[in-house]
Amino acid sequence: MSEWYRKDLAYIHDVGFRSYVLRAMPGILAILKQHGIQDGLIVDLGCGSGLSAEELVRTGYQVLGVDISADMIEIARCRVPMAEFQLGSLFKVEIPDCNAVISISECFNYLFDPDHQTLTQVFQRIYDALAPGGVFIFDIAEPGQLTSATPVKSFTEGEDWIVLVEKQEDSQHILTRRIITFRQVGNDYRRDDEVHRQQLYAAAEIATMLQQVGYQVEIQRCYGQFALPNAHAALIARKPMSNL
């Protein structure tokens, strides 16, 4: 489970790329309240470094966070000792009975598990775990992340780190990110490389899968006041109170 978001990238993501989660959480908390979910267990799939779990615990929820990165889980456990965290794939983890499931920052797009279950199978397992009236809140990246087939290169830097990213989207709607990190260790900088691949999905396609399972579905382009980036969508999937 150590192939992705290893120690340096996990650290850089936590300190340098936390704004997405922190800006999304007020809207997500509002959605939970709108659906009458005031307390109980929230399962956070792809929980990363525990930023979302921290906000949920502060609001009074119980939290189970799941992530495929051991280094992310280590940060999360230190940040939110009141929450429970489990190392594992969101495509394979056993989901306990809960009031809501959330997954922030396009986690379902990642192709980290070559033999993972289909999305419909995962959506069904989440549906079965949710209490009647429970909600499943997550966002996805859609096709059109890049405007051409030409790779796009960028860099971001912090006080003791720099990350270089090359992105390319192919005709099969696979987005590939080549990520090179440099992190200061003493007087030197340590380099690490990772390659992340994502399958991009149209929001309408995902909504249809959810509806086939039995959810009532809304597609949004924001979490409250936080507008999602271009070619991203949030899906709010509610399990009906009853089948009547």
Side-chain angles (χ1 to χ4, degrees), residues 29-79:
L29 290 170
I31 292 168
L32 293 173
K33 301 295 185 186
Q34 289 164 10
H35 287 83
I37 300 171
Q38 307 285 340
D39 53 22
L41 178 63
I42 311 295
V43 177
D44 186 357
L45 298 178
C47 65
S49 60
L51 293 165
S52 47
E54 185 174 37
E55 295 300 312
L56 289 166
V57 167
R58 183 180 292 129
T59 308
Y61 296 102
Q62 298 172 291
V63 179
L64 168 62
V66 179
D67 204 276
I68 200 168
S69 165
D71 292 295
M72 285 288 201
I73 289 291
E74 182 178 353
I75 297 171
R77 285 173 173 157
C78 291
R79 169 169 284 128

Side-chain angles (χ1 to χ4, degrees), residues 49-149:
S49 60
L51 293 165
S52 47
E54 185 174 37
E55 295 300 312
L56 289 166
V57 167
R58 183 180 292 129
T59 308
Y61 296 102
Q62 298 172 291
V63 179
L64 168 62
V66 179
D67 204 276
I68 200 168
S69 165
D71 292 295
M72 285 288 201
I73 289 291
E74 182 178 353
I75 297 171
R77 285 173 173 157
C78 291
R79 169 169 284 128
V80 199
M82 295 296 290
E84 179 183 351
F85 295 98
Q86 181 176 337
L87 178 64
S89 164
L90 62 86
F91 291 100
K92 299 173 183 176
V93 67
E94 182 177 345
I95 300 171
D97 293 344
C98 57
N99 288 339
V101 175
I102 69 169
S103 186
I104 307 172
S105 195
E106 61 201 42
C107 299
F108 281 93
N109 291 99
Y110 281 100
L111 298 175
F112 287 158
D113 299 303
D115 60 344
H116 67 66
Q117 294 179 302
T118 67
L119 287 179
T120 299
Q121 289 174 308
V122 179
F123 294 164
Q124 181 68 61
R125 289 196 297 109
I126 292 171
Y127 185 94
D128 293 342
L130 285 172
V135 291
F136 173 29
I137 306 166
F138 66 105
D139 54 86
I140 59 166
E142 298 182 289
Q145 295 295 305
L146 303 179
T147 56
S148 73

